[in-house]
Amino acid sequence: MQMAKENCSWGYDRIAGALAELGYDISDQSVGNILKRRGLPTAPDRQKTTTWKAFIRTHMEVLWATDFFSTEVWTLSGLVTFYVLFFIKLDTREVRMAGVTAHPNEQWMMQVARNATMEEWGFLEPGQYLIHDRDSKYCDAFSQMLDDAGVKRLPLPPRSPWLNGYAERWVKSVKDETYHG
């Protein structure tokens, strides 16, 4: 049951094979019967029913999240809103500050994408996933550069900030520290 739940793409044969590696001799038909009795669907149906929590857990080492937060700063020309773009690696909670700007336009976002995916010192690599919301600042050019670099983007559904909970919690902790620390 645990193997089937943790590995949604594994069919009866694969589970029986994994059990054989552990010293348990069981047929694929027996695996199927056990899963059916416990109400678990076949592998193709289990893949369709993967929860967001299960996806995060199984892909943690290749997942990054990104988000913006804003802060107001008094400057010589008055109060200016600055936008901070950051990336957080979910398994280690490593945070990379991508930049700060008062004008997060397309050119700025393209430079961020270049920096993040640069072969020598970028931190986003082919095969990694990037969770982001549907903020219009994530322009088509930014998305295309990530796609071209082999980074799999996971845009969140509209109005679902808690699906990017790691990033949202980090922003909250930074703001709490700034205002109370």
Side-chain angles (χ1 to χ4, degrees):
M1 291 297 295
Q2 183 176 352
M3 284 182 179
K5 288 178 183 175
E6 291 178 359
N7 305 285
C8 295
S9 64
W10 288 12
Y12 303 155
D13 289 335
R14 177 67 176 91
I15 294 171
L19 288 169
E21 291 290 321
L22 296 172
Y24 298 100
D25 189 27
I26 185 170
S27 74
D28 59 336
Q29 186 61 48
S30 295
V31 169
N33 291 339
I34 291 168
L35 296 181
K36 285 177 189 172
R37 272 198 306 268
R38 302 277 171 92
L40 253 72
T42 61
D45 291 333
R46 281 197 317 274
Q47 283 181 304
K48 293 176 190 171
T49 60
T50 300
T51 64
W52 185 246
K53 182 179 178 180
F55 177 83
I56 296 284
R57 187 177 59 241
T58 58
H59 292 84
M60 187 72 79
E61 65 277 354
V62 293
L63 271 173
W64 285 82
T66 186
D67 205 355
F68 283 92
F69 68 90
S70 62
T71 187
E72 283 73 34
V73 177
W74 281 105
T75 66
L76 294 175
S77 58
L79 189 62
V80 177
T81 300
F82 283 94
Y83 299 90
V84 180
L85 178 62
F86 69 94
F87 293 81
I88 183 169
K89 191 161 189 321
L90 271 55
D91 66 339
T92 63
R93 304 297 204 297
E94 170 190 357
V95 174
R96 298 285 185 112
M97 302 304 288
V100 178
T101 184
H103 308 286
N105 57 25
E106 183 176 45
Q107 291 77 24
W108 187 80
M109 291 299 293
M110 288 173 61
Q111 186 61 52
V112 167
R114 274 191 290 277
N115 293 347
T117 59
M118 194 168 283
E119 193 171 317
E120 299 262 337
W121 51 277
F123 52 90
L124 292 177
E125 299 171 1
Q128 291 183 324
Y129 293 87
L130 179 64
I131 300 169
H132 63 87
D133 58 25
R134 293 182 182 264
D135 191 318
S136 61
K137 292 188 253 339
Y138 297 111
C139 59
D140 291 337
F142 175 83
S143 300
Q144 187 62 51
M145 290 184 85
L146 292 177
D147 293 344
D148 292 346
V151 176
K152 297 176 180 86
R153 295 178 302 103
L154 298 171
L156 299 173
R159 291 184 238 131
S160 58
W162 294 113
L163 290 182
N164 199 359
Y166 288 90
E168 297 292 337
R169 282 192 294 277
W170 186 80
V171 168
K172 183 180 179 334
S173 71
V174 168
K175 288 187 174 187
D176 285 350
E177 182 66 28
T178 302
Y179 296 123
H180 304 293

